[in-house]
Amino acid sequence: MSDGPVGQAVELYFDAVSEARLLAEWDRIGSDLAQLGARPHLSLAVFRPPTDPTLVIEAIDAWTAHEDPMEVSLESVGMFDAGVVFLAPVVSAELIAAHGRFHAFLGDLERWDLYRPGRWVPHCTMATRLGLGEQARTAARLLDGNGFGPARLERVGLVEYDPVKSLHDAALE
């Protein structure tokens, strides 16, 4: 257990029906993400180490006042080398543009480069901390699951992690 949060993330949350579908997939594949306090999401930005949350909350609130909920479609399974398996949405122009607009509201706040415009891989993490063999088995299980399909992004939140703790939650207007 760490002495404080490892980082913070700004997360886009799904509608209730899509979230329930993804939570059922987490349970089916044996993911521990729900037990860690996480919700299914797409991360817009990550701050490691944590930054002043009031500055991020101001950016979230300014951005959400101008953004509508958006439709995405989860259509592929992917893996990152850090033991992560994820479902990825179709990378639409609307999703990329919304991501870019959010980062404009962040201004000069220091954030993890992998989440900046031009580098971002939108993804919904399904499992973490897996060995390579476990990653492959989990990805194969997801291919046979019910996680794919349309979903609606309706809310955005700021969390700190490990463990996950919600710091702010706002609706997309």
Side-chain angles (χ1 to χ4, degrees):
M1 189 64 121
S2 64
D3 292 337
V6 172
Q8 297 159 327
V10 177
E11 301 177 338
L12 280 170
Y13 297 120
F14 297 97
D15 64 283
V17 171
S18 300
E19 182 170 297
R21 182 180 83 223
L22 294 165
L23 286 169
E25 283 297 287
W26 279 4
D27 188 50
R28 188 180 70 79
I29 65 171
S31 179
D32 66 351
L33 291 169
Q35 290 82 8
L36 297 173
R39 294 174 61 184
H41 65 274
L42 301 180
S43 294
L44 288 174
V46 174
F47 306 90
R48 292 189 340 197
T51 191
D52 181 350
T54 59
L55 298 175
V56 181
I57 290 168
E58 287 173 7
I60 289 170
D61 289 345
W63 181 71
T64 57
H66 299 93
E67 291 293 327
D68 294 323
M70 67 187 98
E71 303 293 327
V72 296
S73 187
L74 297 169
E75 296 295 336
S76 62
V77 174
M79 294 183 271
F80 292 129
D81 65 358
V84 173
V85 177
F86 59 88
L87 292 177
V90 172
V91 182
S92 67
E94 177 186 19
L95 183 60
I96 292 299
H99 177 257
R101 287 189 299 270
F102 177 70
H103 277 263
F105 279 99
L106 290 176
D108 293 334
L109 283 177
E110 188 64 37
R111 52 205 179 266
W112 199 13
D113 280 341
L114 290 176
Y115 288 84
R116 286 183 182 269
R119 303 233 17 232
W120 184 50
V121 176
H123 64 281
C124 177
T125 300
M126 300 302 286
T128 61
R129 299 184 296 259
L130 302 176
L132 188 55
E134 249 184 318
Q135 272 186 288
R137 286 188 294 279
T138 300
R141 292 191 73 207
L142 285 170
L143 289 170
D144 281 335
N146 296 314
F148 296 110
R152 184 172 171 89
L153 298 166
E154 296 185 339
R155 303 193 69 78
V156 61
L158 174 65
V159 298
E160 66 181 24
Y161 60 91
D162 278 336
V164 177
K165 176 184 170 190
S166 177
L167 301 178
H168 187 66
D169 185 274
L172 294 170
E173 304 287 323

